[in-house]
Amino acid sequence: MNKYLLRRATIKDIPEMQKVIKIAMTQYADLSGIKTPLESLLESFDDLKSHIENDMFLLAFHKETLVGTLRISDLEISELTDDIKDALIGPCESECACVNKKDWIDITVIDNDSKNECCSECVNMNILKSDEVVDLELSNLKLAYISRFAVLPEMQSLGVGSALFNSANEYLIRNSYVHAMLHTAINNFALVNFYKKRDFNLVSTSTDRGYLRGTFVKRFV
């Protein structure tokens, strides 16, 4: 029996959500060595209200006290970089050297150089997918983005995060999502391992937020 109560967030939960997110995300920034302001720490009451109304915002309670949060939102194609698109779909047609050599979802870091090297045979065979083809394929898939994963420090390693992710996993499968994506600091090994154990694979890295941040993707079908 699950010792945590999980339910969808309501507007009345926002004050407590702000407290939990602030505490957990401040700890995350400290452990990850992040010096730049996190977007999660800048959200207002109205921001959270909008997310509750438009996204799936899951809450975990222990003895009627809020101890964890997790948000699932729909991911738009316009929000994806080319390397992420390639990780989700694959840059080449089905019968090509890249697919035969390695499944793109398992590539640790994808950049232009590695893609060009991997796809050299495909370029010669003229079977690389165009941007239009990739976008069309993605437009037919349901993509989810997981964020605001926050657990109070004193409740970590006690199953709260697992309960939230199990519930999120059930929701994503039930609603026919094909991929789920999330970000975390690469040097936060505890979180990286947590996500990998739940079949999220690192597909790209970036320093656009002022620290080394990884993009992790899970495929459901």
Side-chain angles (χ1 to χ4, degrees):
M1 182 178 179
N2 195 338
K3 59 183 176 180
Y4 303 111
L5 170 67
L6 274 72
R7 66 166 172 80
R8 193 166 189 166
T10 67
I11 306 301
K12 293 180 180 179
D13 295 312
I14 291 179
E16 290 303 312
M17 291 170 62
Q18 289 178 309
K19 292 177 185 178
V20 170
I21 291 172
K22 181 178 181 180
I23 293 170
M25 290 302 176
T26 298
Q27 180 203 42
Y28 163 73
D30 290 342
L31 292 175
S32 305
I34 300 172
K35 306 300 182 184
T36 52
L38 292 175
E39 184 180 287
S40 56
L41 295 175
L42 303 176
E43 286 186 323
S44 66
F45 183 99
D46 288 339
D47 290 330
L48 286 175
K49 179 175 181 291
S50 176
H51 291 311
I52 288 172
E53 292 172 343
N54 296 292
D55 303 328
M56 168 56 80
F57 222 131
L58 290 169
L59 304 182
F61 292 84
H62 178 58
K63 297 181 179 179
E64 300 183 359
T65 299
L66 180 63
V67 295
T69 69
L70 183 149
R71 189 179 94 205
I72 303 170
S73 53
D74 287 337
L75 194 60
E76 301 297 331
I77 297 176
S78 60
E79 302 176 68
L80 304 176
T81 57
D82 287 342
D83 55 350
I84 302 301
K85 291 179 182 179
D86 288 344
L88 296 178
I89 293 297
C92 314
E93 300 297 346
S94 58
E95 298 298 327
C96 74
C98 294
V99 173
N100 292 334
K101 289 179 181 177
K102 191 174 183 71
D103 186 349
W104 277 85
I105 200 67
D106 292 327
I107 289 182
T108 301
V109 178
I110 301 172
D111 55 33
N112 288 332
D113 292 335
S114 64
K115 187 172 73 172
N116 288 340
E117 180 181 354
C118 179
C119 291
S120 59
E121 293 181 50
C122 305
V123 171
N124 294 333
M125 296 167 63
N126 196 29
I127 55 176
L128 279 175
K129 290 180 183 176
S130 68
D131 291 341
E132 292 78 10
V133 170
V134 172
D135 285 351
L136 179 61
E137 290 186 17
L138 284 172
S139 68
N140 294 322
L141 303 179
K142 289 189 71 173
L143 312 175
Y145 184 68
I146 295 176
S147 61
R148 304 305 176 265
F149 176 46
V151 177
L152 288 176
E154 64 270 24
M155 295 300 297
Q156 292 172 11
S157 300
L158 295 176
V160 178
S162 295
L164 284 165
F165 263 81
N166 289 342
S167 182
N169 197 65
E170 292 172 3
Y171 171 84
L172 292 168
I173 293 173
R174 186 168 65 250
N175 288 277
S176 303
Y177 283 90
V178 176
H179 293 95
M181 189 176 88
L182 56 81
H183 290 103
T184 198
I186 290 297
N187 65 349
N188 193 316
F189 302 116
L191 269 180
V192 168
N193 289 331
F194 179 89
Y195 295 137
K196 284 186 174 181
K197 287 178 181 177
R198 285 152 183 82
D199 299 323
F200 283 87
N201 297 299
L202 178 65
V203 298
S204 180
T205 59
S206 171
T207 56
D208 61 346
R209 298 291 180 93
Y211 63 97
L212 188 60
R213 189 172 76 139
T215 301
F216 291 78
V217 170
K218 178 174 181 174
R219 185 182 180 94
F220 291 94
V221 294

